[in-house]
Amino acid sequence: MEMNTGKQQSKYRYERKFIIKPEAQYDFLLQLSKSGFSELHYERTINNIYLDDYNFNSVIDNIEGVSNRKKTRIRWYGDILSNSEKVIEFKIKSSDVNRKENIPLLKRKLDSLDNSSSFWEAIKNELEANNNHKYYSHQLFTLQPTLINSYRRNYYLNADESIRVTLDRDLFYYSPIYQTEAHDQHLVIEFKYNSEQILGENLINNLVLTKYSKYVKGILATSTFKPTY
């Protein structure tokens, strides 16, 4: 099987996040249904290994609210230790909108949560062997695994397909640096749409807009890292 050495891009889109408690899930899903949303496809588990430099600059950029920033992660679906296809995903923020670029990878398996460094080294060797690093700066190869996380996601789409909603739960975080773990029982709701629009008072009523970042949350919950600036 040959590796696709091209990068894949998505369009810029708006993203708005809200946090709710588990007991509020039923009311929220009922309101989604009343607003014309239906489930897009089956629930699946999402896994990420976040990559950052030794100074955690990606975390700091997020906390400081830097308008133009990039987050790098390895993403895959299903069991966290499954032998499955992965992608390197770059989430790029430009002011109020976001887009993604990714590099598809061959099937491979993360043997254990404590084996992320050698897992990343093998991926870097794969990229170099396929000359795939030419699409990105050398800085990608200086990053290290700083957080592993996993969560279950449900997907919903409105009738005219202009708004997509994801609902994430059972959030799990693991630090490969400190070998510590954390859990978050809150539900993360995200609205994603391509043009600035009013989401509707009924739909977001009683929801509190948040800057919730799973990466920042996980780093602060599993490590001794405390940003000083």
Side-chain angles (χ1 to χ4, degrees), residues 28 32 37 40 153-158 163-167 189-192 203:
F28 173 73
L32 268 188
F37 283 78
L40 186 56
R153 169 168 285 183
N154 292 88
Y155 304 78
Y156 304 90
L157 189 67
N158 67 341
I163 303 174
R164 188 162 70 103
V165 176
T166 57
L167 188 151
I189 298 167
E190 192 165 357
F191 290 82
K192 307 171 185 184
L203 191 57

Side-chain angles (χ1 to χ4, degrees), residues 56-70:
F56 294 93
N57 277 313
S58 182
V59 177
I60 294 172
D61 284 350
N62 188 292
I63 293 174
E64 291 186 336
V66 175
S67 295
N68 300 310
R69 60 181 186 264
K70 180 168 69 175

Side-chain angles (χ1 to χ4, degrees), residues 37 157-164 192-195 197:
F37 283 78
L157 189 67
N158 67 341
D160 66 6
E161 301 185 357
S162 63
I163 303 174
R164 188 162 70 103
K192 307 171 185 184
Y193 44 97
N194 294 327
S195 59
Q197 57 187 282

Side-chain angles (χ1 to χ4, degrees), residues 49-227:
I49 297 178
Y50 289 92
L51 305 171
D52 207 343
D53 59 30
Y54 288 97
N55 295 318
F56 294 93
N57 277 313
S58 182
V59 177
I60 294 172
D61 284 350
N62 188 292
I63 293 174
E64 291 186 336
V66 175
S67 295
N68 300 310
R69 60 181 186 264
K70 180 168 69 175
K71 183 165 52 184
T72 306
R73 61 198 176 199
I74 304 165
R75 169 165 287 195
W76 67 100
Y77 302 96
D79 185 84
I80 197 167
L81 300 180
S82 64
N83 181 28
S84 60
E85 293 178 352
K86 274 75 171 171
V87 298
I88 297 177
E89 185 173 88
F90 305 88
K91 188 167 185 180
I92 301 163
K93 181 175 179 61
S94 178
S95 190
D96 292 330
V97 292
N98 300 271
R99 70 178 175 88
K100 295 178 182 178
E101 293 183 1
N102 65 65
I103 306 175
L105 301 171
L106 298 178
K107 281 189 176 182
R108 63 175 63 250
K109 176 180 171 64
L110 175 66
D111 293 327
S112 73
L113 298 185
D114 294 325
N115 199 33
S116 60
S117 291
S118 58
F119 180 77
W120 172 229
E121 288 300 318
I123 289 176
K124 287 193 291 185
N125 291 337
E126 177 183 323
L127 294 176
E128 290 182 317
N130 288 276
N131 201 29
N132 211 345
H133 62 289
K134 66 183 179 182
Y135 295 106
Y136 302 94
S137 73
H138 69 281
Q139 292 178 341
L140 170 63
F141 292 85
T142 67
L143 303 181
Q144 64 168 341
T146 51
L147 182 75
I148 299 172
N149 91 319
S150 179
Y151 49 92
R152 292 193 295 156
R153 169 168 285 183
N154 292 88
Y155 304 78
Y156 304 90
L157 189 67
N158 67 341
D160 66 6
E161 301 185 357
S162 63
I163 303 174
R164 188 162 70 103
V165 176
T166 57
L167 188 151
D168 301 336
R169 57 187 168 188
D170 298 335
L171 281 75
F172 167 77
Y173 303 103
Y174 183 80
S175 170
I177 300 174
Y178 296 93
Q179 298 182 341
T180 53
E181 66 180 56
H183 299 262
D184 188 351
Q185 296 305 315
H186 286 89
L187 278 63
V188 181
I189 298 167
E190 192 165 357
F191 290 82
K192 307 171 185 184
Y193 44 97
N194 294 327
S195 59
E196 197 165 13
Q197 57 187 282
I198 298 174
L199 294 177
E201 289 300 324
N202 292 333
L203 191 57
I204 61 174
N205 189 34
N206 297 323
L207 296 180
V208 179
L209 187 66
T210 180
K211 280 184 59 179
Y212 191 102
S213 163
K214 296 184 183 70
Y215 179 42
V216 173
K217 172 72 176 182
I219 287 292
L220 297 181
T222 61
S223 73
T224 59
F225 173 75
K226 298 294 183 288

